[in-house]
Amino acid sequence: MLKTVKSIRDIIQQKFLVVPVLVLLTGAMWLMIMVGACTSEETVDPENKTPTPLAWRKPANFPDPVYDLNKNPLTVEGVELGKFLFYDGLLSRTNVIGCGTCHQQQSAFTHHGHELSHGVDDQLGKRNTPSIQNMAWNPLFFWDGGVRDMDFVPFNPIENPVEMGETVNHVLEKLRLTPDKSAKIPVDYPKMFKAAFGTPEITTERMMKAISQFMTTMVSAESRYDKFAIGDVTALSAQEKEGLILFRKNCSSCHEGELFTNYSFRNNGLAPLKYEDLGRFDVTRRESDRNLFKVPSLRNVSFTAPYMHDGRYKTLGEVLEHYTDKVVSSPTLDPAFIQSGGKTGLNLTDDEKESIIAFLRTLSDDNFIKNNAFSDPGIGNAF
Amino acid sequence: MKVRFSFIYIFLFTTLIFSSCGSDDAEPELNLNGRGDLVFYFDNTVGNELLALNNTTYKNSSGESFRVTGLSYYVSNFKLQRKDGGEYVIPQDSSYFLINAADKNSYEVRLENVPVGDYSGVSFVLGVDSARTVSSLEKRKGVLDIAAGQPGASMYSDANDGYTFLKLEGTSVSAASGKFEYQIKGFGGATARTVNNIKTINIPFTGTIASVTTTKSPEAHLLINILKIFDGSTRISIAGLPQAITPELTAPLASNYTTMFTLDHIHPTSSAH
């Protein structure tokens, strides 16, 4: 660069000595050329549009999100790329299993009918697929809280040998080699990365941020409960309101606030199965964390059966029955389930349980499970 | 005079545009105050022999035979001690390196733009510091990319255990499964406290110096004796510890491995080996 400037100066100096007027002209010409050279990449080439910012609004009754959107501002192109990556089987070793294979929209992005989900080569995972919704409020991810930044979430399923069985490195290589003309829809990822981030470079950071952008848009806040919460007292029936009161009294110390979880880790007294899952202990290796699991949100809970970290209960009735009759004592059992007389579980009549279930169904958000913005663009595989 | 003024004006203006235009090329200092490179070459050894992967059998201090199938480790946060008593700290973003025994190119750690002068020692972190371990994705470029590492050999584990500082894998008849695996890690934990196995290695250039000039990049040749992993303050046997991949279990290995680095010699200029 500096060398070029010197030669320009030489040229100008020569002219200066001969015809002063020419100096000005030449200088002005150079100026124009250089200004042009400087900006042409951004403005002249029609392929080089800057990504379109996407407005993101926090639902009125929600707290502030945890995810820092300033570090990853949403754009139309970024979210679109994230959606393709979310559904694309390329993220797995067998090129078949995408995120959307186990996180299916009609089940609020869980795997309906599967206690545990099947990954590559039909291998079974050890935990029930958690819902993907309202991710931007999540301070810790997965049943054991092993991840604390949304940008790091896809790493786990991709590199888990029984889920997608891939390496992030290899996924990046495969994405760089697209479009693959033999694919069902030959997606041109370098082009999509360019649209989303300005250049076609495909990196870990960009891939993860695009998926985070898509997941950030996956907000569920349009249930009947939400209408009630923002002031429409007619949105809930008398039984549902009764259920809400009982819920707040018995359940909301963990399923707290508008997200229906306080993101804490608890042992809710599930009877041990043949294979012990240590839960939070896997991450912290603290004895007090043995068999603790993250409190899940209850939004869309009527769509997300089966329930619990191991998917052992198929209906909400079974879940409520667990809390009244089946809570098993153990050294880490949450104190919320130990009554003053030493009995475990909650005291609820059958009518009360029914009211609570009626209330829980008001957390269903039909728009969330039908919104085309979150749907498979035609590249995914759902089993 | 008026014309001359216009000319200077145009010249300055064009230069301005040029410099703003080219700012991405990152030429912050043109070595005006005298800078050069200092190179460290990490030679992995087993006792007195150079490490050969896969096919050579070695013995540890417990008398156990073993072969090494993989060795990789991070070195970061380099600081150079000046002979006159000062210290030069390598800029944080340029101070992370991953040595992989399977990749000869990774043996050379080149510290660039080091101020000209005589250096009498180096210190570095064996592993990755806690600040970088809990940072966001933008701060994890190059070897800190969470996807870094060969397929199936990623060095990043999770938020609480962070990066593996040193990974040593191999085979041994002393292990019940025929394999041993050490993933030494532990930065203190992000969401729950773990053992802190971050070790700083200090290597004085005893009896010699590294003179950095604008034309000469000295190369310090380090020997890394992996037998020390088994044999420092605690003697570790493969039979007794065939697998250790948590901060707690790898703590004694981490205490041992601080002694595995020695300076062999310093070439006045970096060259082929």
Side-chain angles (χ1 to χ4, degrees):
Chain A
M1 278 293 179
L2 285 175
K3 213 174 167 187
T4 328
V5 174
K6 264 183 206 155
S7 63
I8 296 163
R9 186 176 56 185
D10 293 343
I11 294 165
I12 296 175
Q13 271 176 340
Q14 282 166 13
K15 305 252 183 204
F16 172 66
L17 292 171
V18 189
V19 194
V21 182
L22 255 176
V23 176
L24 288 170
L25 278 175
T26 322
M29 253 174 60
W30 272 111
L31 243 173
M32 283 163 70
I33 291 165
M34 279 180 288
V35 171
C38 216
T39 52
S40 65
E41 269 186 57
E42 275 136 44
T43 52
V44 179
D45 185 351
E47 284 256 294
N48 277 318
K49 281 197 310 186
T50 47
T52 320
L54 182 70
W56 185 87
R57 255 196 344 204
K58 179 178 81 66
N61 52 325
F62 277 32
D64 285 331
V66 176
Y67 187 70
D68 184 0
L69 281 167
N70 293 323
K71 279 195 306 198
N72 187 14
L74 302 191
T75 63
V76 172
E77 295 81 359
V79 170
E80 180 74 358
L81 170 61
K83 178 160 83 172
F84 271 78
L85 292 168
F86 183 87
Y87 283 102
D88 203 321
L90 269 189
L91 268 65
S92 69
R93 175 168 55 77
T94 55
N95 297 328
V96 172
I97 310 286
C99 309
T101 303
C102 297
H103 298 281
Q104 298 180 6
Q105 186 175 14
Q106 76 271 16
S107 320
F109 298 96
T110 63
H111 209 177
H112 186 68
H114 291 74
E115 292 149 38
L116 308 169
S117 295
H118 301 260
V120 287
D121 303 333
D122 222 18
Q123 298 177 90
L124 211 54
K126 73 171 185 175
R127 290 177 188 152
N128 182 18
T129 303
S131 171
I132 297 182
Q133 57 176 337
N134 304 329
M135 294 284 273
W137 285 269
N138 224 314
L140 289 167
F141 296 87
F142 299 105
W143 284 105
D144 59 14
V147 170
R148 40 169 238 148
D149 180 338
M150 185 167 28
D151 294 341
F152 292 71
V153 165
F155 180 79
N156 285 32
I158 290 172
E159 301 228 347
N160 186 325
V162 300
E163 293 184 33
M164 295 159 108
E166 251 295 6
T167 64
V168 173
N169 245 344
H170 193 231
V171 171
L172 298 176
E173 281 169 31
K174 289 194 285 186
L175 293 173
R176 286 174 194 132
L177 292 174
T178 58
D180 170 11
K181 292 209 170 60
S182 66
K184 189 158 55 170
I185 296 179
V187 187
D188 186 340
Y189 280 107
K191 195 175 169 187
M192 291 190 83
F193 273 78
K194 187 176 180 186
F197 297 108
T199 65
E201 200 191 346
I202 295 180
T203 65
T204 309
E205 184 188 344
R206 287 177 168 191
M207 170 177 148
M208 299 304 180
K209 285 191 165 176
I211 299 175
S212 287
Q213 286 194 29
F214 176 54
M215 293 197 292
T216 298
T217 65
M218 296 164 82
V219 173
S220 175
E222 293 180 34
S223 66
R224 276 203 290 127
Y225 165 78
D226 290 295
K227 291 191 178 73
F228 178 80
I230 56 177
D232 179 1
V233 291
T234 65
L236 300 189
S237 72
Q239 190 200 24
E240 289 159 354
K241 284 178 193 164
E242 172 71 20
L244 171 58
I245 292 165
L246 288 163
F247 178 86
R248 286 192 173 144
K249 190 173 155 218
N250 290 283
C251 317
S252 70
S253 63
C254 292
H255 297 287
E256 196 185 322
E258 296 304 277
L259 292 150
F260 292 88
T261 170
N262 57 9
Y263 302 102
S264 61
F265 298 86
R266 307 289 173 125
N267 176 345
N268 63 350
L270 295 168
L273 297 180
K274 195 170 160 196
Y275 298 106
E276 189 185 14
D277 187 339
L278 298 173
R280 181 69 174 152
F281 179 89
D282 284 347
V283 172
T284 65
R285 291 177 291 275
R286 267 194 308 239
E287 276 307 314
S288 57
D289 284 339
R290 197 175 273 272
N291 308 121
L292 270 58
F293 294 88
K294 192 170 73 183
V295 175
S297 170
L298 298 180
R299 285 185 169 274
N300 293 304
V301 72
S302 64
F303 303 133
T304 62
Y307 304 108
M308 305 300 169
H309 69 271
D310 51 15
R312 67 175 68 190
Y313 297 130
K314 289 184 178 59
T315 65
L316 290 172
E318 286 177 55
V319 171
L320 269 290
E321 195 193 340
H322 166 79
Y323 285 122
T324 53
D325 296 316
K326 292 185 174 170
V327 171
V328 172
S329 193
S330 67
T332 58
L333 176 65
D334 198 80
F337 300 113
I338 303 170
Q339 297 174 22
S340 50
K343 187 180 169 288
T344 59
L346 304 175
N347 276 325
L348 292 167
T349 66
D350 286 351
D351 279 354
E352 288 174 328
K353 286 195 262 187
E354 261 179 52
S355 297
I356 289 176
I357 291 171
F359 163 69
L360 290 176
R361 294 193 192 285
T362 71
L363 295 171
S364 300
D365 179 352
D366 282 326
N367 183 48
F368 182 66
I369 64 162
K370 288 178 184 152
N371 190 343
N372 276 335
F374 310 143
S375 303
D376 181 0
I379 57 169
N381 298 295
F383 311 113
Chain B
M1 199 61 203
K2 202 179 174 192
V3 175
R4 179 179 285 270
F5 175 76
S6 303
F7 154 66
I8 291 168
Y9 190 78
I10 288 166
F11 169 64
L12 284 177
F13 195 48
T14 27
T15 317
L16 242 173
I17 288 169
F18 245 110
S19 51
S20 66
C21 194
S23 63
D24 286 346
D25 295 344
E27 251 182 313
E29 291 167 63
L30 293 163
N31 284 344
L32 293 175
N33 42 3
R35 284 170 185 263
D37 297 351
L38 204 165
V39 178
F40 289 92
Y41 193 85
F42 287 75
D43 238 341
N44 303 304
T45 69
V46 188
N48 296 321
E49 298 173 60
L50 278 181
L51 169 68
L53 290 179
N54 300 322
N55 298 321
T56 309
T57 304
Y58 304 103
K59 254 197 177 93
N60 65 15
S61 56
S62 304
E64 297 170 310
S65 297
F66 65 96
R67 292 179 177 198
V68 178
T69 53
L71 168 73
S72 34
Y73 51 92
Y74 283 105
V75 284
S76 69
N77 292 273
F78 280 77
K79 293 175 184 170
L80 298 170
Q81 279 81 50
R82 295 182 68 101
K83 202 184 160 203
D84 62 16
E87 186 178 64
Y88 177 69
V89 180
I90 304 299
Q92 190 78 17
D93 285 341
S94 314
S95 206
Y96 294 89
F97 303 89
L98 180 59
I99 317 285
N100 175 3
D103 175 14
K104 280 219 166 216
N105 292 328
S106 73
Y107 295 8
E108 183 185 288
V109 166
R110 179 173 287 269
L111 306 179
E112 294 177 330
N113 282 317
V114 172
V116 159
D118 290 347
Y119 292 92
S120 58
V122 64
S123 76
F124 54 83
V125 167
L126 176 46
V128 179
D129 55 283
S130 54
R132 199 52 71 118
T133 303
V134 298
S135 70
S136 55
L137 270 185
E138 306 88 69
K139 289 280 185 188
R140 299 175 190 245
K141 308 277 191 202
V143 296
L144 294 177
D145 192 320
I146 58 172
Q150 304 304 309
S154 176
M155 293 295 273
Y156 181 74
S157 42
D158 65 25
N160 211 51
D161 285 349
Y163 293 91
T164 295
F165 300 157
L166 179 142
K167 182 185 279 190
L168 176 67
E169 293 165 323
T171 57
S172 173
V173 288
S174 300
S177 70
K179 288 180 178 176
F180 69 97
E181 179 187 23
Y182 301 139
Q183 290 179 20
I184 301 168
K185 61 181 76 147
F187 65 97
T191 53
R193 184 176 287 278
T194 69
V195 168
N196 187 330
N197 286 329
I198 295 175
K199 307 290 180 192
T200 301
I201 309 297
N202 291 294
I203 302 176
F205 301 159
T206 311
T208 178
I209 51 161
S211 295
V212 175
T213 72
T214 50
T215 53
K216 282 183 181 170
S217 309
E219 178 170 304
H221 205 110
L222 305 179
L223 299 180
I224 296 84
N225 179 5
I226 63 165
L227 281 184
K228 297 285 186 185
I229 297 171
F230 298 99
D231 193 19
S233 46
T234 312
R235 181 175 287 185
I236 305 285
S237 72
I238 293 171
L241 190 70
Q243 192 196 43
I245 60 171
T246 65
E248 290 72 20
L249 274 181
T250 54
L253 298 162
S255 300
N256 284 351
Y257 75 8
T258 54
T259 60
M260 70 179 180
F261 296 88
T262 49
L263 175 73
D264 193 49
H265 59 270
I266 299 178
H267 297 284
T269 51
S270 64
S271 56
H273 298 275

